[in-house]
Amino acid sequence: MLKFTADHEWLKIEDGIATVGITAYAAEQLGDLVFVELPDVGASFSKSDDAATVESVKAASEVYCPLDGEITAVNDAITADPSLVNSDPMGNGWFFKLKLKNASDADGLLDEAAYKELTA
């Protein structure tokens, strides 16, 4: 299941675990990323908490936790090479995996059509 937030995060949800990243739209708006700071594995976040930070040649921005949960994995590849987020934002450029506190909360997020409408 693919879901989106109005803050331009995407979530791919499988078995109560969400892989989270920023959308291609967000990566394009930020420009070339030069730095990514990820959360610690084991950290718990509430929806809308600042979970990660990205810096580009244009600006610094927060990546928000899309739902309540606990970080189970982070993508160290993007801290070593932030350009992965620009080149493959919804693939190899993922940020973290989140064990959802309540998977049904994802029902309140945007589907792909609603997100496309938001960014049109």
Side-chain angles (χ1 to χ4, degrees):
M1 172 185 355
L2 200 57
K3 292 289 191 172
F4 298 86
T5 71
D7 293 316
H8 310 292
E9 288 91 22
W10 60 266
L11 300 80
K12 183 177 182 186
I13 303 168
E14 298 175 276
D15 300 324
I17 304 286
T19 302
V20 178
I22 63 171
T23 64
Y25 176 85
E28 184 180 305
Q29 295 301 305
L30 285 166
D32 293 335
L33 293 187
V34 295
F35 175 78
V36 176
E37 182 179 82
L38 296 171
D40 293 327
V41 171
S44 292
F45 291 95
S46 296
K47 181 178 179 178
S48 300
D49 282 353
D50 296 349
T53 303
V54 293
E55 290 181 17
S56 71
V57 293
K58 293 181 181 178
S61 184
E62 300 302 323
V63 176
Y64 301 107
C65 194
L67 296 170
D68 297 348
E70 179 184 331
I71 304 298
T72 61
V74 295
N75 185 0
D76 291 324
I78 65 170
T79 58
D81 183 5
S83 70
L84 281 173
V85 178
N86 294 107
S87 63
D88 192 11
M90 295 182 66
N92 291 328
W94 63 275
F95 279 62
F96 54 85
K97 293 186 185 283
L98 184 71
K99 182 179 180 185
L100 300 176
K101 186 173 181 181
N102 186 352
S104 66
D105 289 347
D107 296 342
L109 298 176
L110 303 171
D111 63 16
E112 194 163 2
Y115 182 75
K116 282 183 178 178
E117 191 173 303
L118 176 74
T119 58

